[in-house]
Amino acid sequence: MIGKLNHVGVATPSIDESVAMYRDLLGATSITDKWVMPEQGVWVCFVNLPNSQIELIEPYGDKSPITAFLEKNPKGGQHHVCFEVEDIIEARDAMKAKGATVLGEPRIGAHGTPVIFVHPKNMGGVLVELMETPKGDHH
Ligand SMILES: CC[C@@H](C(=O)O)C(=O)SCCNC(=O)CCNC(=O)[C@H](O)C(C)(C)COP(=O)(O)OP(=O)(O)OC[C@H]1O[C@@H](n2cnc3c(N)ncnc32)[C@H](O)[C@@H]1OP(=O)(O)O
Ligand SMILES: [Co+2]
């Protein structure tokens, strides 16, 4: 069912400092501006790679879903992996039918298409985001 690896989510206490690190240490040359997604409780920006993206996320607001993660990992760290799926409702129903815990209902993600999250307890400790492939990107 899963398609392309779309991005790896990296939580950080400071997107600005992480951007400088990816640029200065790793030589990343294509990095978007950051923007806020209040409904997701995060600031976000993307480091564009030839075959994928690193999604830098910083908490926004007092109910951010990444606050507890950053309390446990104050310097930040790898937070989730995101795979593309063709149909988010089909994916959600398949996850539920297989007994996985889907966190919340589909919401519009950073690429403008709906996303869901599958609890890390179902995936060997890895938080998985499933994202509907943007229209026009289907192969
Ligand atoms: C930018 C928008 C969007 C996109 O389009 O790409 C995004 O990516 S937004 C990304 C941020 N949003 C989310 O993560 C939403 C879904 N996440 C959640 O609902 C919560 O983060 C969570 C997964 C339920 C965890 O919440 P938390 O408050 O940390 O709960 P617990 O403290 O009870 O943790 C339970 C358990 O899970 C472990 N854990 C927590 N986070 C992770 C993680 N990222 N990866 C692996 N494991 C994680 C946590 O350590 C606990 O383990 P135990 O102590 O062993 O029980
Ligand atoms: Co993400």
Side-chain angles (χ1 to χ4, degrees), residues 7-9 46 55 57 80-82 110 115 117 129:
H7 63 265
V8 174
F46 285 100
E55 179 182 76
I57 47 175
H80 64 270
V81 293
C82 176
V115 303
F117 289 85
E129 176 182 356

Side-chain angles (χ1 to χ4, degrees), residues 52-121:
S52 195
Q53 292 177 305
I54 301 297
E55 179 182 76
L56 299 173
I57 47 175
E58 179 185 319
Y60 171 82
D62 50 12
K63 288 185 184 148
S64 175
I66 66 172
T67 298
F69 181 90
L70 280 170
E71 278 165 6
K72 287 182 192 160
N73 306 278
K75 293 183 176 171
Q78 191 253 296
H79 181 263
H80 64 270
V81 293
C82 176
F83 301 108
E84 295 186 15
V85 295
E86 283 193 14
D87 184 305
I88 203 70
I89 300 301
E90 268 179 28
R92 178 199 61 185
D93 292 348
M95 291 299 102
K96 286 187 176 176
K98 291 177 186 179
T101 297
V102 175
L103 298 159
E105 287 301 313
R107 277 180 294 178
I108 296 300
H111 294 82
T113 65
V115 303
I116 58 169
F117 289 85
V118 178
H119 200 284
K121 71 184 178 188

Side-chain angles (χ1 to χ4, degrees), residues 8 11-12 39 49 52 54 58 71 77 114 120 125 127 131 135:
V8 174
T12 170
E39 66 288 355
L49 309 174
S52 195
I54 301 297
E58 179 185 319
E71 278 165 6
L127 175 61
M131 150 192 164
K135 298 283 176 257

